[in-house]
């Protein structure tokens, strides 16, 4: 069965939008999803991208992105609301993801908390409540201070960099990287064996 | 009948890719295309974007764009070959477009010359041959030195800036801007009256 590795960080609006679709994309192609949390700020730092590139775009482009996100939300009929806190420190939420017994469930809950409900993902109490919401142990939040968990997130982020990831979301199918929620059509076909010549 | 204004410059690979599709997109939606040449470098200058933003992207991103273009070409089954000359001075080709008796025909010919056949669009002789190729008068090339034609291209470029254009291709439907060949799905629906809330 073909697999798509879906690299994401809660800090990215486009990762949220892509996360609402990736399972359906994989299902249509008869494949499955492997959720890959990474610290996007760590990726940017490693490859020398200015932090939060979205905020460095010119005014016309920035305004367009704002509209563009709402269009994708309308296109896919999913809720979306620009949060009052941006950028967001997502490091704790990413660590919780790594220890969750059912990561997909937590991932959807956390994305929604930030990109629909305007919740503060940097707040440990908020994360505990999100875990409770989905029937998982709120005490898992304590694991965010576990050095092994911290190391795992660093290792995952390094792995993303090694693969050539430079933004979120990035879908990887059979070693090929597809950047963006706007390339899921390519991802679906890649899961079915599409291999266009790209060199 | 709904109309899409398709703003382009021959210098943009994504404008070429979009140009291969825009007429089919409009036809499916029962609309039509108005071709809008602009000098992209002039737009960048006016809004303070560094020239040729593609070349300023980090290495990972740049490599990804190279692949991405070939994937779009494969996706749409159109030829594509990165030219030996990039960036290209397209000002003469844009001026010829403004005086061509059948601009759509010249536009497709010129895009193909640069993005498939690796021809030099800055060369007046090349432009004359392209006009001959499509049964138009090669003497039209002389119009590229006509001050009125020069002024028209400046006026068109200023109009693009006034509308908020910041890249190519940009499709405008009923005052709404859609940037990119990867938003033609939105354009098709907009031509059919789609108006998602974006504020």
């Amino acid at each position: 069965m073909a697999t798509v590795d879906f690299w994401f960080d809660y800090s990215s609006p486009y990762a949220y939008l892509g996360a609402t679709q990736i399972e359906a994309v994989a299902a249509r192609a008869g494949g499955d999803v492997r959720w890959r949390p990474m610290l996007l700020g760590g990726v940017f730092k490693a490859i020398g991208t200015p932090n939060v590139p979205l905020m460095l775009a010119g005014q016309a482009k920035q305004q367009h992105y704002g509209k563009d996100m709402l269009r994708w939300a309308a296109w896919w009929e999913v809720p979306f609301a620009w949060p009052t806190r941006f950028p967001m420190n997502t490091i704790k939420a990413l660590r919780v993801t790594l220890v969750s017994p059912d990561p997909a469930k937590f991932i959807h809950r956390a994305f929604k908390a930030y990109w629909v409900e305007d919740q503060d993902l940097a707040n440990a109490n908020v994360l505990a409540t999100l875990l409770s919401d989905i029937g998982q142990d709120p005490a898992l939040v304590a694991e965010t201070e576990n050095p092994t968990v911290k190391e795992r997130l660093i290792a995952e982020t390094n792995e993303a960099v090694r693969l050539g990831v430079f933004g979120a979301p990035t879908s990887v199918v059979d070693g090929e990287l597809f950047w963006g929620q706007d390339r899921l059509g390519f991802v679906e076909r890649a899961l079915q064996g599409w291999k266009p010549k790209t060199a």
Side-chain angles (χ1 to χ4, degrees), chain A residues 85-184:
Chain A
R85 302 165 195 89
F86 184 85
M88 170 62 76
N89 182 339
T90 57
I91 199 161
K92 281 196 178 74
L94 292 164
R95 289 179 189 151
V96 170
T97 311
L98 291 175
V99 295
S100 166
D102 184 348
K105 220 167 169 179
F106 180 74
I107 290 163
H108 290 302
R109 184 68 196 93
F111 265 129
K112 189 180 167 193
Y114 184 35
W115 290 106
V116 181
E117 300 166 349
D118 197 18
Q119 295 201 55
D120 182 2
L121 290 194
N123 184 320
N125 294 330
V126 168
L127 297 175
T129 304
L130 297 179
L131 284 162
S132 296
D133 287 350
I134 55 171
Q136 293 182 11
D137 184 0
L140 280 172
V141 171
E143 290 297 305
T144 59
E145 298 307 316
N146 178 332
T148 312
V149 177
K150 290 183 178 183
E151 276 305 320
R152 270 187 62 203
L153 183 58
I154 293 167
E156 286 292 298
T157 301
N158 289 342
E159 171 66 1
V161 172
R162 193 190 65 78
L163 290 169
V165 170
F166 56 86
T170 296
S171 303
V172 183
V173 180
D174 200 12
E176 293 288 322
L177 272 67
F178 299 88
W179 174 47
Q181 89 301 340
D182 50 7
R183 298 297 187 269
L184 294 184

Side-chain angles (χ1 to χ4, degrees), chain A residues 3-10 14-26 32-38 94 97-98 100 102-109 111 152 156 169-172 184:
Chain A
T3 297
V4 51
D5 279 66
F6 187 80
W7 291 91
F8 68 94
D9 185 335
Y10 300 111
Y14 285 119
Y16 157 67
L17 289 164
T20 68
Q21 304 303 310
I22 191 66
E23 287 158 323
V25 166
D32 62 0
V33 178
R34 192 154 50 173
W35 297 95
R36 305 298 299 263
M38 62 175 168
L94 292 164
T97 311
L98 291 175
S100 166
D102 184 348
K105 220 167 169 179
F106 180 74
I107 290 163
H108 290 302
R109 184 68 196 93
F111 265 129
R152 270 187 62 203
E156 286 292 298
T170 296
S171 303
V172 183
L184 294 184

Side-chain angles (χ1 to χ4, degrees), chain A residues 50-104:
Chain A
N51 219 342
V52 199
L54 195 63
M55 298 180 78
L56 297 177
Q59 205 193 357
K61 205 171 195 168
Q62 234 181 71
Q63 281 181 358
H64 190 269
Y65 278 128
K67 284 192 170 198
D68 187 55
M69 290 165 197
L70 288 164
R71 284 172 181 159
W72 282 103
W75 183 259
W76 283 326
E77 301 179 359
V78 295
F80 181 91
W82 191 263
T84 49
R85 302 165 195 89
F86 184 85
M88 170 62 76
N89 182 339
T90 57
I91 199 161
K92 281 196 178 74
L94 292 164
R95 289 179 189 151
V96 170
T97 311
L98 291 175
V99 295
S100 166
D102 184 348

